[in-house]
Amino acid sequence: MKTIKLAIAGLFLMVANATQAQVSINVNIGNPPAWGPVGYTEMEYYYLPDIEAYYDVRAAQFIYFGRGKWVRTTYLPRQYRNYDLYGGYKVVLTDYHGRTPYTYFDRHKVKYYRGYHGAPQRPYKPRPVYGYNERRDYKRYDKHDKHDKHRDRHDDHHHHDDHDHGRGRR
């Protein structure tokens, strides 16, 4: 009877361990970017039809054709620096697994032409808002600007004012 209980406990531990290993594999696929479409957490690639480029979710890299070859980079190339990743349509490549999604570029380019839009998409996180930040750390800002020539002249001007007005200013 003890042997059967030990065998069952061992089998349970092996199944639990295999399940844990499976979970680890799924978790490490890659985190989608903030601008990625909601609902596709385990996808490997997006195709961006407006700029004819791919995004590798696992490696967090863009893949585009430049200088006669396919290039992988962390940032989009200069000609696309103003491209709106939040607003642009992302085709989630559900049927491709590998390292070279551009193998099917000729098909993707025709099927998902520039301007292509399928079902509406929402990004994982809201678009960041740029502009005035009320909680700006001005001391840190000043420290970084102290080598600015205009700022140095401004500081010299205040320095002279302090000497000119002396006692009355604090």
Side-chain angles (χ1 to χ4, degrees):
M1 190 67 156
K2 254 186 178 175
T3 307
I4 294 174
K5 287 181 182 178
L6 284 173
I8 291 173
L11 184 62
F12 177 77
L13 286 174
M14 285 174 44
V15 169
N17 194 21
T19 304
Q20 184 178 0
Q22 182 66 37
V23 168
S24 296
I25 289 170
N26 287 339
V27 168
N28 291 327
I29 284 183
N31 293 327
W35 48 264
V38 168
Y40 302 98
T41 55
E42 296 186 19
M43 292 300 109
E44 296 178 46
Y45 296 98
Y46 305 141
Y47 176 65
L48 310 172
D50 293 336
I51 58 174
E52 297 180 337
Y54 296 88
Y55 183 77
D56 182 337
V57 176
R58 290 173 302 165
Q61 292 180 327
F62 293 95
I63 306 169
Y64 64 92
F65 194 78
R67 298 185 184 182
K69 63 182 180 177
W70 287 95
V71 180
R72 287 178 166 268
T73 61
T74 307
Y75 301 101
L76 284 171
R78 172 170 286 221
Q79 67 265 29
Y80 301 124
R81 71 174 163 224
N82 293 324
Y83 178 69
D84 179 11
L85 289 166
Y86 283 87
Y89 195 79
K90 280 76 62 182
V91 175
V92 180
L93 300 180
T94 57
D95 57 350
Y96 179 78
H97 304 285
R99 296 270 311 140
T100 57
Y102 47 84
T103 302
Y104 301 102
F105 175 67
D106 289 340
R107 291 184 203 168
H108 294 150
K109 183 178 179 177
V110 172
K111 187 174 181 179
Y112 310 113
Y113 50 89
R114 286 181 189 253
Y116 173 86
H117 283 274
Q121 296 177 329
R122 272 188 350 200
Y124 277 100
K125 295 182 181 174
R127 180 188 306 267
V129 178
Y130 298 104
Y132 182 72
N133 180 357
E134 290 181 357
R135 296 193 289 172
R136 184 181 214 167
D137 182 355
Y138 286 103
K139 287 185 180 179
R140 190 178 72 189
Y141 182 78
D142 289 346
K143 181 176 87 177
H144 290 299
D145 276 355
K146 75 180 182 183
H147 295 293
D148 185 337
K149 289 180 183 177
H150 297 292
R151 175 136 179 92
D152 289 343
R153 267 190 254 130
H154 182 71
D155 286 346
D156 289 345
H157 180 68
H158 279 296
H159 182 69
H160 292 303
D161 282 351
D162 287 346
H163 286 297
D164 292 344
H165 297 291
R167 295 167 255 168
R169 298 190 75 176
R170 288 220 173 225

